[in-house]
Amino acid sequence: MSDLKRIKPWLYEIPKSGGMRVPGRIYATPALMESQKADECIQQVRNVAHLPGIVDYSLAMPDFHWGYGFPIGGVAAFDADEGVVSPGGVGYDINCGIRIVRTDLDRAAIQPRLREIVKNLFHAIPAGVGSDGAIPTPKGEDARAIVTQGARWAVEHGYGTPDDLLHIEDGGLYPGADPDVVSARAFARGMPQVGTLGSGNHFLEIQVVDAVYRKDVADHFGLKEGTVCFSIHSGSRGFGYQVCDDFLKSMMQASKNYGIELPDRQLCCAPLSSPEAKRYLAAMACAANFAWVNRQVMTALTRRVLAQTLAVSEESLGARLVYDVCHNIAKFEEHGGRKVCVHRKGATRAFGPGHPLLPEAYRSLGQPTFIPGDMGRASFLLVGKEGSMRETFGSTCHGAGRAHSRTAMKRMMQGRNLFKMLEEERGVIVMAHGRDSVAEEMPEAYKDASLVVDVMEQAGVTDTVARLRPIGCIKG
DNA sequence: ATGTAC
């Protein structure tokens, strides 16, 4: 802790010491540094810096907090030839991510029916631990196609439009997926869960744009003040969890076999050139594709519910996908003329303007990224700037960052009418499957997301494009 | 995050 150096108003550096191969860097202000378990998180940033082939820095975004091995909010790039891949650098919820869909509706058009919309969404989209049954369980060739084709499978089966695919990171397809390296148990757990929200901090929200800061980008994506949007935050459910769990075991063994010294067993990894790494990446790709199908199916269900509740056609909603991002993934990319495997765990890709991997329609603007806040305050649409390519391997933050533990929140919220608080104090109609999950996720549990996105803007990594306020929410 | 430990 004592060796932390504040090198810019928004940036701390941890100098190289002991077995660290590179220094650490944490994007944060002093206020954001005073988070729960900050010392443990800083140690996790240090630990990651020990791994073979790490390039430049072990990074943490301003919403960083303690995670399995790597900190959540961590970004680390490993040389494609000499580096490693680590399941702990991706996380249990492989391709957890978020998407935002804009509509032609304004707040006045839905306000009278809002309670009914929330109720109908709550019944159409299963949520909570172990939830399933949103669509008939995909079997056989469909199950394999889901994990090899990603979002395209959903569109080809009536869930969404081809236009959606243009507004998903990498088109909603992670290449190199091999279903044969994924356990039968992952398929058995995951397939009944396609189109389900899950639990924890996952949600489906109805939101209204309440401020626009970059009109050029907002206009391009059809967002102006008063525009009704919905956003979906979910991941790869039991499928990704099982993949991670299965491969942590083989990676523990691989670390030993290849003689990799680990400051923490949870950083287990394998050289990118090894068969173990290739198998993990092929399985991780399956889970990434599963998560995109999951969010894509829920998007289609939401359009259906909105149209039915408002008694209008789906087309008339103008419900176009603005963007879908992953925030738990490892990807091969080129940075500084070098091929690296970028691990983003609770961090979002945010390529700067002109990046060749961005679709032409918005390449000149930079990559859009969506940052969920909490149930009561605001979420933010961002766009990548040049600084992200220079400093953070094309990455930015992913959320507000927790300020109080789940157990502390349950204690703090004891005996209070949470749904009434959210509706009367925050103006949000919430429906959830469990009272505890709402207590754990109350706005008070989180830091203000605006502080987090401000740090990334100060650093020249991302610009804030628009702010959205929640008016309806369903949760597990 | 997660059939919150097979």
Side-chain angles (χ1 to χ4, degrees):
Chain A
M1 185 78 190
S2 55
D3 60 345
L4 259 189
K5 280 198 289 201
R6 192 168 174 212
I7 59 170
K8 285 178 182 161
W10 58 85
L11 184 60
Y12 290 85
E13 188 156 309
I14 309 167
K16 234 171 83 164
S17 67
M20 288 170 73
R21 295 167 194 259
V22 294
R25 278 191 162 186
I26 300 173
Y27 287 81
T29 55
L32 285 166
M33 270 294 186
E34 291 164 22
S35 65
Q36 54 159 355
K37 294 188 180 175
D39 290 359
E40 289 97 322
C41 300
I42 292 161
Q43 187 55 45
Q44 289 194 315
V45 176
R46 272 199 201 91
N47 291 344
V48 171
H50 289 67
L51 296 178
I54 187 166
V55 175
D56 293 348
Y57 298 101
S58 166
L59 298 171
M61 301 296 113
D63 48 336
F64 75 113
H65 51 109
W66 188 89
Y68 182 93
F70 287 59
I72 294 161
V75 175
F78 297 91
D79 185 273
D81 297 319
E82 290 157 25
V84 294
V85 65
S86 173
V90 172
Y92 268 92
D93 192 2
I94 296 164
N95 190 7
C96 181
I98 185 160
R99 57 171 54 191
I100 172 172
V101 179
R102 55 83 64 198
T103 71
D104 282 338
L105 304 163
D106 62 17
R107 184 167 186 169
I110 68 158
Q111 192 62 46
R113 313 297 293 274
L114 183 58
R115 196 172 302 277
E116 201 183 343
I117 290 168
V118 172
K119 189 185 79 179
N120 292 346
L121 286 170
F122 188 67
H123 290 119
I125 297 178
V129 178
S131 54
D132 58 13
I135 63 168
T137 298
K139 294 195 161 66
E141 278 311 304
D142 271 328
R144 290 173 71 87
I146 283 171
V147 303
T148 53
Q149 295 173 8
R152 183 163 66 86
W153 178 90
V155 170
E156 286 176 358
H157 287 74
Y159 303 103
T161 69
D163 179 70
D164 291 339
L165 302 180
L166 299 174
H167 298 93
I168 304 177
E169 193 170 308
D170 296 334
L173 174 69
Y174 197 109
D178 180 2
D180 293 334
V181 302
V182 173
S183 67
R185 176 182 271 204
F187 277 98
R189 280 182 73 171
M191 285 304 148
Q193 301 180 327
V194 174
T196 67
L197 202 49
S199 61
N201 62 3
H202 289 167
F203 63 75
L204 189 156
E205 254 179 33
I206 312 279
Q207 303 163 331
V208 179
V209 176
D210 83 336
V212 169
Y213 310 102
R214 278 278 308 267
K215 195 168 177 301
D216 58 333
V217 185
D219 280 349
H220 182 89
F221 290 103
L223 299 174
K224 57 180 198 287
E225 257 189 74
T227 299
V228 169
C229 299
F230 60 88
S231 69
I232 297 170
H233 178 210
S234 186
S236 49
R237 309 284 287 103
F239 187 93
Y241 180 96
Q242 193 61 48
V243 167
C244 180
D245 207 43
D246 291 340
F247 278 87
L248 279 172
K249 289 167 200 135
S250 69
M251 286 293 185
M252 294 271 185
Q253 190 56 49
S255 305
K256 265 184 218 158
N257 294 351
Y258 294 102
I260 300 170
E261 270 186 56
L262 299 175
D264 175 353
R265 279 167 49 84
Q266 295 185 351
L267 295 175
C268 62
C269 56
L272 281 160
S273 54
S274 69
E276 289 90 338
K278 288 181 167 60
R279 284 169 66 86
Y280 169 69
L281 287 166
M284 186 201 73
C286 289
N289 290 331
F290 179 100
W292 273 318
V293 171
N294 190 31
R295 294 197 286 275
Q296 186 63 36
V297 168
M298 285 189 277
T299 303
L301 295 175
T302 303
R303 286 176 174 137
R304 205 172 292 170
V305 167
L306 267 180
Q308 279 171 0
T309 312
L310 297 170
V312 297
S313 71
E314 276 190 46
E315 293 68 32
S316 72
L317 294 172
R320 295 197 309 272
L321 181 55
V322 173
Y323 213 67
D324 175 305
V325 289
C326 330
H327 49 225
N328 276 10
I329 199 77
K331 284 183 177 175
F332 285 104
E333 294 169 7
E334 211 174 285
H335 290 278
R338 187 170 185 180
K339 197 180 173 199
V340 291
C341 182
V342 184
H343 291 54
R344 298 189 182 93
K345 180 193 192 178
T348 317
R349 200 183 78 178
F351 283 161
H355 197 286
L357 291 184
L358 298 178
E360 202 213 319
Y362 48 90
R363 189 177 300 151
S364 66
L365 300 171
Q367 186 203 304
T369 276
F370 192 62
I371 308 300
D374 56 70
M375 271 192 283
R377 279 174 286 190
S379 296
F380 296 89
L381 184 72
L382 313 183
V383 69
K385 291 183 70 183
E386 292 79 4
S388 85
M389 305 315 295
R390 204 166 50 231
E391 292 190 20
T392 58
F393 300 100
S395 316
T396 191
C397 58
H398 90 304
R402 189 167 273 280
H404 301 291
S405 72
R406 293 181 177 279
T407 46
M409 285 310 298
K410 274 185 277 195
R411 205 179 315 120
M412 201 188 299
M413 293 297 152
Q414 224 154 36
R416 310 186 69 168
N417 188 335
L418 307 179
F419 295 92
K420 196 171 166 214
M421 281 171 76
L422 286 162
E423 193 161 335
E424 290 178 0
E425 294 166 25
R426 308 278 188 170
V428 192
I429 297 174
V430 179
M431 287 186 76
H433 292 266
R435 189 198 176 277
D436 275 0
S437 71
V438 178
E440 293 169 359
E441 292 291 319
M442 286 296 276
E444 292 78 2
Y446 287 95
K447 289 179 253 185
D448 189 340
S450 68
L451 302 176
V452 171
V453 299
D454 282 353
V455 169
M456 300 321 287
E457 183 153 309
Q458 279 181 63
V461 170
T462 33
D463 262 354
T464 308
V465 172
R467 184 179 69 202
L468 295 95
R469 295 220 178 265
I471 57 172
C473 176
I474 71 167
K475 288 191 67 67

